[in-house]
């Protein structure tokens, strides 16, 4: 009896001394899950990708939790974390993906993975000079797509985009919100566009003012918000779309204010211009690379946006010029083709779809139509008679076409994604059925 009591007394403390390390290890695992998903969610990864990565971490670490993504805050079971998904930084997303894959494949320890995620969260955006150069080239190529004729206007567009890039980074460095950044950059573009108009080097298209603003359009937020709504993540989807809408309003307000201060205005319904297929597709491919740089994506993966962006823009050109389809239908077909190609590519090579898919088609976003609709609403305050009637019709037409284009682009992404996910689930269930 004595020996037994002695054995019991010597072994009794053992559970309490082992519980602390076990509890600490469990807390570290949970914290890694929170840190990894917060970095993904806060830097532009799609919601589906964040959810899949959370499941991968839980399987690797033996966790079982429920992830709820939101705008200002998200939760993993009862643990909350703050990660507002307003930024788009694909270098951070790729670095976190790499850390999760290494942990899942047992080539890295939990401590190594936590260190890698911390380093990923601290990665800086694209170099300011590379970013400014991408803004200049992207805005200039958009002007080519819209049919610009004057070389001096292209130089002005490039200068405006470069100045806007430095302004945005500077405002961000002192704590200015995204709305201030794009609003001030658009104000400068409007002022310089007015100078071009008054100097007779800008046509009725007002490309000198519009193109530097086109690169500010929050395409990923519009598309991610639409995808969240389709997946019934209603609060997050609405929050993304509200953020994108406020961003567009900030851009439009800055643009119109700049034009007004410079004594010019945005023509609501100017005549469009046609350009050759090779020029349209080539320029679109270059624009896709520029958008990848805006998203801080590694340069080595931007061959995909270049090739696919050029190809789907060529498809849109054929849809409009040969098949005589509506512009929003052409944009939807382009997104359908881009998603059908790049969703399997992103899965096969473990690349964020936001980095290669959105960059390929975001130049199709109807930013110019939205700006013209806003300009039409502003001009309606003083228009009368037949002029007001014509202005109202043009404004409604621009707004309707813009909405239909965004809707068609979202559907173009949703259909291939749904089909691909269904095929993956069906393949997994079929291959697993014998077991």
């Amino acid at each position: 009896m004595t020996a037994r009591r002695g054995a019991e007394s010597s072994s009794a403390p053992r559970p309490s001394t082992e519980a602390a390390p076990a509890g600490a290890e469990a807390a570290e695992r949970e914290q890694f899950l929170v840190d990894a998903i917060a970095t993904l969610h806060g830097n532009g990864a799609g919601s589906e990708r964040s959810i899949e990565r959370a499941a991968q971490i839980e399987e690797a670490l033996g966790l079982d939790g429920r992830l709820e993504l939101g705008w200002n805050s998200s939760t993993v079971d009862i643990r909350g974390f703050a990660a507002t998904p307003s930024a788009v930084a694909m270098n951070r997303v790729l670095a976190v993906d790499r850390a999760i894959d290494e942990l899942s494949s047992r080539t890295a320890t939990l401590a190594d993975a936590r260190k890698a995620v911390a380093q990923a969260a601290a990665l800086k955006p694209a170099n300011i000079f590379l970013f400014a150069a991408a803004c200049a080239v992207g805005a200039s190529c958009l002007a080519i797509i819209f049919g610009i004729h004057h070389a001096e206007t292209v130089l002005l567009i490039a200068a405006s985009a470069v100045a806007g890039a430095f302004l945005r980074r500077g405002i961000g460095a002192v704590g200015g919100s995204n709305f201030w950044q794009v609003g001030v950059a658009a104000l400068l573009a409007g002022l310089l566009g007015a100078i071009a108009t008054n100097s007779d080097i800008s046509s009725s298209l007002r490309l000198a003012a519009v193109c530097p603003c086109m690169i500010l359009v929050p395409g990923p937020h519009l598309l991610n918000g639409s995808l969240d709504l389709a997946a019934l993540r209603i609060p997050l989807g609405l929050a993304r779309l509200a953020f994108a809408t406020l961003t567009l309003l900030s851009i439009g307000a800055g643009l119109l204010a700049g034009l007004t201060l410079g004594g010019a205005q945005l023509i609501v319904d100017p005549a469009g211009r046609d350009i050759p297929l090779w020029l349209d597709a080539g320029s679109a491919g270059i624009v896709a690379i520029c958008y990848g740089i805006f998203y801080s994506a590694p340069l080595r993966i931007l061959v995909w946006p270049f090739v696919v962006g050029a190809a789907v823009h060529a498809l849109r050109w054929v849809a409009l010029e040969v098949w005589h389809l509506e512009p929003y239908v052409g944009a939807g077909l382009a997104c359908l083709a881009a998603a059908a190609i790049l969703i399997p590519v992103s899965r096969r090579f473990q690349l964020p779809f936001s980095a290669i898919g959105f960059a390929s088609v975001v130049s199709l976003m109807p930013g110019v139509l939205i700006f013209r609709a806003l300009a039409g609403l502003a001009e309606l305050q003083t228009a009368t008679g037949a002029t007001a009637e014509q202005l109202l019709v043009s404004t409604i037409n621009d707004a309707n076409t813009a909405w239909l284009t965004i809707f068609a682009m979202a559907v173009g992404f949703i259909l291939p994604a749904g089909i691909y996910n269904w095929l993956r689930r069906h393949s997994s269930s079929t291959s697993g059925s014998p077991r």
Side-chain angles (χ1 to χ4, degrees), residues 76-89:
V76 179
D77 282 341
I78 60 173
R79 299 191 61 174
F81 61 90
T84 303
S86 57
V88 183

Side-chain angles (χ1 to χ4, degrees), residues 55-283:
Q56 185 178 356
I57 294 172
E58 290 171 355
E59 182 179 358
L61 297 180
L63 299 174
D64 185 16
R66 177 178 175 82
L67 175 63
E68 291 288 344
L69 295 174
W71 181 261
N72 289 321
S73 62
S74 304
T75 58
V76 179
D77 282 341
I78 60 173
R79 299 191 61 174
F81 61 90
T84 303
S86 57
V88 183
M90 291 297 107
N91 55 343
R92 296 173 184 170
V93 172
L94 278 167
V96 173
D97 282 345
R98 192 179 308 114
I100 295 173
D101 287 337
E102 290 176 353
L103 177 69
S104 182
S105 62
R106 303 291 190 267
T107 58
T109 64
L110 178 59
D112 292 336
R114 290 190 64 186
K115 182 179 178 181
V117 168
Q119 291 174 343
L123 289 174
K124 296 184 180 300
N127 176 274
I128 179 59
F129 296 104
L130 178 62
F131 177 71
C135 288
V137 174
S140 300
C141 287
L142 284 172
I144 293 172
I145 292 173
F146 281 105
I148 197 165
H149 286 167
H150 301 94
E152 57 270 28
T153 309
V154 175
L155 294 177
L156 182 62
I157 289 171
S160 176
V162 168
F166 280 98
L167 271 176
R168 289 158 61 193
R169 285 289 179 90
I171 294 172
V174 298
S177 71
N178 173 75
F179 308 128
W180 276 106
Q181 294 175 41
V182 298
V184 173
L187 175 66
L188 175 63
L191 284 170
L192 294 178
I195 293 174
T197 299
N198 296 331
S199 302
D200 292 328
I201 59 172
S202 179
S203 69
S204 61
L205 292 174
R206 299 292 189 265
L207 297 180
V210 169
C211 289
C213 295
M214 286 290 294
I215 61 175
L216 307 175
V217 173
H221 299 292
L222 288 168
L223 293 174
N224 270 328
S226 301
L227 294 174
D228 281 330
L229 289 180
L232 299 182
R233 289 184 287 269
I234 306 298
L236 178 57
L238 291 177
R240 289 190 195 269
L241 293 178
F243 176 82
T245 300
L246 290 174
T247 301
L248 286 170
L249 289 175
S250 299
I251 300 168
L255 171 62
L256 297 181
L259 285 170
T260 302
L261 290 173
Q265 63 180 8
L266 191 62
I267 306 299
V268 175
D269 192 24
R273 293 174 181 166
D274 297 329
I275 64 171
L277 172 60
W278 65 270
L279 187 58
D280 182 271
S283 299

